Amino acid sequence: MIFKLLAIFATVAGGAGLAWAARRGWLGAALARADLAAWVAKAAFGIFVPALMFRSIAVLDLRALPAPLLVAYFVPALFYLFAVYLGARRFAVPAHPAAPATRAVAATYGNAVQIGIPMAAAMFGAEGLGVHVALVSVHGLLLLVLATTLVELDVARHEGGSSLAGTLLQTLRSTVIHPVVLPVLVGFAWNLLGLGLHPLADWALQGLATLALPLCLVSTGLALVAYGLHGDLRAAAWVSLLKLVVMPALVGATAALAFGLDGQPLAVLVMMAATPVGANALIFALRYGCLQAETSLAIVISTIGFVITAPLWLALLGQFGA
């Protein structure tokens, strides 16, 4: 597990090194002037992440999804995202209309792939890994669709000039025509129609999808150089605390008390919720030009903090027989 974390830090450090070299002009004058963090984020969000989302949904065996476990995880997760969003709107005056939704994504969307998958495989074996992968398969769909809807509604409301119906129509259009939501919707339609993927198309999509996760980590490193560790430390620490402690506590309590889960299924859900802030939160922040420094700082703080909180959660789960 520690080597996986070190590999993640190494990839982020590679992105930081790339940005530093570009700033010093070692990669040419054009790159010295370019905003590499925004450029890589646009490439990841516009090409590679959509390929990952579409292929993941298009080839997914929908009948094999453990529906009760999905409900037990995503009911509290979606409620939690909305609650953090409302709290950010109420208690922190947003300098940007996208700020509340951006903070909500950071406090909810975990690094369920780069950290979550090796953790699930090491701790819970093949059966637990299967549950974790099922959660990951709809993780982005549900959380990012809700967050995108909220942020687009806030942006449309901020810009004004439209009636309520016009604002809702604009929000719906912006939410659907979105580089994450649209490929997911098309992927579901493709899957339900049973069209399948030609081997050539599957190979091409898989190649693009393979680059999505490293690019997200590299963009984190680029953002650290572009925005520095000068984000709002207090806000980033609060976001990290919400992600590492509050969210897994809520998911665990809801899954155990409301859905009667225990044992390994409960442990998988709690540890999924306990993963640190994911790189997609920074991609989200970069897309809307809001809280980039704070989000990149929250990724660093929460990933380091996860080394401490993960064993504590595992020990606590062990006390309850999970």
Side-chain angles (χ1 to χ4, degrees), residues 43-250:
F45 219 85
I47 301 172
F48 301 101
V49 171
L52 172 65
M53 302 300 287
F54 171 77
R55 183 183 179 275
S56 299
I57 300 299
V59 302
L60 184 65
D61 184 359
L62 299 177
R63 294 170 297 181
L65 292 177
L69 296 183
L70 294 177
V71 173
Y73 182 86
F74 286 107
V75 165
L78 291 171
F79 169 81
Y80 176 76
L81 187 151
F82 191 63
V84 173
Y85 163 79
L86 290 178
R89 286 192 61 182
R90 180 177 178 83
F91 298 110
V93 178
H96 190 288
T102 301
R103 282 202 174 107
V105 170
T108 311
Y109 199 99
N111 192 336
V113 176
Q114 295 102 324
I115 291 179
I117 287 179
M119 176 194 66
M123 299 298 172
F124 307 120
E127 184 178 352
L129 178 60
V131 174
H132 181 88
V133 170
L135 293 171
V136 170
S137 67
V138 293
H139 187 226
L141 168 65
L142 296 179
L143 297 182
L144 289 182
V145 166
L146 175 58
T148 301
T149 301
L150 293 173
V151 73
E152 292 293 347
L153 186 60
D154 282 345
V155 169
R157 186 187 301 114
H158 177 76
E159 292 175 351
S162 298
S163 63
L164 176 60
T167 299
L168 292 176
L169 184 61
Q170 180 182 343
T171 301
L172 177 62
R173 180 181 180 279
S174 300
T175 301
V176 173
I177 309 300
H178 188 276
V180 169
V181 178
L182 185 59
V184 167
L185 296 177
V186 174
F188 263 112
W190 197 278
N191 191 315
L192 293 173
L193 291 172
L195 298 176
L197 287 176
H198 188 278
L200 180 60
D202 188 37
W203 180 83
L205 287 169
Q206 191 169 2
L208 293 172
T210 301
L211 292 173
L213 302 178
L215 272 181
C216 288
L217 292 176
V218 168
S219 71
T220 301
L222 292 170
L224 287 175
V225 173
Y227 306 107
L229 293 176
H230 306 300
D232 188 335
L233 178 60
R234 182 177 179 182
W238 271 110
V239 167
S240 300
L241 181 67
L242 288 170
K243 185 67 194 72
L244 295 175
V245 178
V246 179
M247 183 176 179
L250 176 64

Side-chain angles (χ1 to χ4, degrees), residues 80 106-107 237-249 270 273-277 298 300-310 313:
Y80 176 76
W238 271 110
V239 167
S240 300
L241 181 67
L242 288 170
K243 185 67 194 72
L244 295 175
V245 178
V246 179
M247 183 176 179
V270 170
T275 53
V277 180
V300 174
I301 293 173
S302 63
T303 303
I304 295 173
F306 180 74
V307 178
I308 300 171
T309 57
W313 277 115

